[in-house]
Amino acid sequence: MVSLEQLKEHQTVRTEPVPESQALVDVRHLNLWYGPKQALYGISVRFPKNQVTAIIGPSGCGKSTLLRSLNRMNDLVPGVRVEGEVLYEGVNIYDPRVDPVAVRRHIGMVFQKPNPFPKTIFENVAFGLRLMGVKGSELEDRVVEALKRAALWEEVKDRFKKESGLRLSGGQQQRLCIARAIAVEPPLLLMDEPTSALDPIATQAIEDLILELKKRYTVVIVTHNMQQAARVSDRTLFMHLGVLVEEGPTEVLFTKPKHPYTEAYITGRFG
Amino acid sequence: MNRTLTPSPESFAQDPWKARIDRVFARALVLPLLLALGLLALLLGDTLYRSVSVQVVRADMGPGHTYPFGLSAEAILRQELLAQGYTEEEADFMLQDPKERSALFLQNRVELMWNTHEGPFRYVVTNVYDKRVADFSLAEGLRRWNELKANLQEGERLVLNPWLDQTFLTRPPSRSPLTAGIGVAVWGTVWVLSLALLLAIPVGVGTAILLEEYLREGRLSRLLEVNLRNLAGVPSIVYGLLGLALFVRGMGLGPSVLAAALTLGLLGIPVIVVTAREALRAVPESMRLAAFALGATRRQVVFRVVVPAALPGMVTGVILSAARLIGEAAPLLLVGAAAYVPFAPTGPLSQYTVIPVQIYLWISQNQPEFARVAAAGILVMLLLLSVLYLLALYLRNRFRREW
């Protein structure tokens, strides 16, 4: 097995790297510490526009940390320290002049466990829009639009103004969370293991939804489930111990992995 | 090692001793609950029993005192009140209020009499109070009902007197147990409690939000936490001393509703902080993260998501602390809940009395009937507390959430 010292010196193996012109997000030499503990080591990677990028790797490899540094959610963790750049449409979101709150309004996020607010379905989806000052009939139209795009509209159209988001089933709750995230039309949607708390049927619905969403949005998805990564993503990143080991088009990474650790992981020999 | 590898039914047999100990243990745990419930039922039953009595009463119109010709009606009434045992201050106080004064004139009829044995023109005061002839406990009164009825004198009647009746709730306190009521004390409680909560809710909830949502695990947070826990454990009479020194004397508020409300408000703050913090802590972290991820500022996260989600718990905590404050007598005795207040407060600077203080004063009277008045007062307080607890229970169940 690989030691951390060896990995730190490792150069990411890249297959068909994304050209700068196609990248929505360009991560450059990102190092991240939680207190004294380093969690990310020199990550450099580009996330292409209107494609789904999956991040895979064993538990604790830093995939969620990388995802959360794309919308500065890590700032909420006390004692966090970041070095390097994350360019979003060419702007470094870690520039001191950038307000993390404003960054998060441009980037949607869906969490592992569905976490609707204890409010009505309508108010859940309207939350981000209200923060942006959307009101009246426009608010209503955009809520309905988001519910339709999240494939939830048919199931809730006759009760969405009265029923609490918490009364929905787990799969519906997660689609509600997706609707809530895409209601503000964020160009980038981050998903942190969005189906790990769901049953196979609900998972199928979310995966179909992701394939639909990529027409309009750029999606980055963290997943434990390698079949899922293979099914929904265009590109895949394999991380281990805070290091980006290998990245490339999904079918290449899964069929012809270049790095021995990638191969070991996807064939189930560790992780 | 000599162990059988194939299990037999015996290897799954219950150990009779262990099972027995389990059963005994489970039962023993129920005992304290039964004991508490039993004592509570006993208390309630005893209070109910004491609040009802059998009485022989007579509408007494007998000649009162006589007064020389030439005195004003006001002076006569004042002297009559003194003769009935009121102090000069009390008499003056009662006569200041026009409503009370007209009631007193109805109860003490001043009549000009001709040719009394003390001389031609005299004033005679006639008391129209119901005079108690005898008062019996419920058990004794019911047992001897027929005997008592047979022995009634002219003008007397035998009554089953539930001391807690409609007029008890509205009547002012009185020197006579028969006319004593809890109305003034109820209004005093309403005034003091509302003002106290007006102080304690914003301060308590604000502190909880600061500690739970803004400071989190800081050193200041820990320091405040320790102090709050200590404050919650300080005996309420110490708050009374503080109130006496700070509000009654220091700020010169005197024995007023406001001084009492400030004192009780301080007393209520730690409880509200603790319950509000628990309510805030019960809101899952994922709610905050979801709001942050949508681009909310901390203020928006707190006031649009966390506080609304924690509101039912906070309201329950406020109600429970209000229920605790209603029962407080000790600090208010110190900050001057007055012994005899004939009128409900009219403003924050009025004199006042509250239900528990009134009960305490009744119990310390030496006329035995006052014990019955006190029992009726206790019932009123228990009723009020039950309403509050039921409200808290209702809110808790109505808004229970599955996260």
Side-chain angles (χ1 to χ4, degrees), chain A residues 12-17 43-46 244 246-248 258:
Chain A
T12 304
V13 179
R14 296 178 201 276
T15 315
E16 299 175 27
I43 309 274
S44 290
V45 66
R46 289 183 187 138
L244 179 55
E246 183 167 349
E247 63 128 337
K258 293 184 180 156

Side-chain angles (χ1 to χ4, degrees), chain B residues 223-350:
Chain B
L223 189 78
L224 285 173
E225 163 114 41
V226 169
N227 279 297
L228 272 171
R229 278 179 199 283
N230 283 340
L231 277 181
V234 169
S236 57
I237 193 139
V238 178
Y239 283 89
L241 285 172
L242 174 74
L244 180 65
L246 197 62
F247 305 128
V248 178
R249 304 237 171 99
M251 287 164 62
L253 292 176
S256 61
V257 167
L258 190 57
L262 290 171
T263 310
L264 281 195
L266 286 186
L267 186 58
I269 287 170
V271 183
I272 291 183
V273 173
V274 169
T275 49
R277 282 186 77 177
E278 259 152 37
L280 290 170
R281 218 172 299 163
V283 178
E285 196 57 26
S286 62
M287 295 293 137
R288 297 182 183 85
L289 289 181
F292 274 123
L294 286 165
T297 62
R298 182 161 298 272
R299 179 180 55 79
Q300 287 166 331
V301 172
V302 169
F303 289 98
R304 294 198 188 191
V305 176
V306 181
V307 169
L311 207 57
M314 286 187 186
V315 173
T316 309
V318 166
I319 291 174
L320 292 182
S321 87
R324 193 197 150 186
L325 294 186
I326 283 186
E328 282 292 346
L332 295 186
L333 283 171
L334 281 186
V335 297
Y340 180 81
V341 181
F343 320 114
T346 51
L349 294 174
S350 299

Side-chain angles (χ1 to χ4, degrees), chain A residues 101 104-105 115-116 118-119 180, chain B residues 286-287 290 292-293 295 304 401:
Chain A
V101 170
R104 292 184 205 122
R105 289 196 184 174
N115 55 356
K119 300 173 189 280
R180 183 174 67 184
Chain B
S286 62
M287 295 293 137
F292 274 123
R304 294 198 188 191
R401 289 220 171 87

Side-chain angles (χ1 to χ4, degrees), chain B residues 371-387:
Chain B
R372 307 202 180 283
V373 180
I378 289 170
L379 285 182
V380 171
M381 194 159 82
L382 286 179
L383 217 67
L384 214 61
L385 290 176
S386 309
V387 168

Side-chain angles (χ1 to χ4, degrees), chain A residues 119-154:
Chain A
K119 300 173 189 280
T120 61
I121 295 168
F122 178 87
E123 282 303 323
N124 263 284
V125 182
F127 189 87
L129 294 167
R130 283 193 198 279
L131 291 180
M132 286 170 49
V134 181
K135 287 191 190 106
S137 62
E138 193 198 346
L139 179 73
E140 186 142 355
D141 292 347
R142 290 184 67 174
V143 168
V144 172
E145 185 59 34
L147 284 170
K148 280 180 181 162
R149 243 174 246 156
L152 192 59
W153 174 245
E154 288 303 317

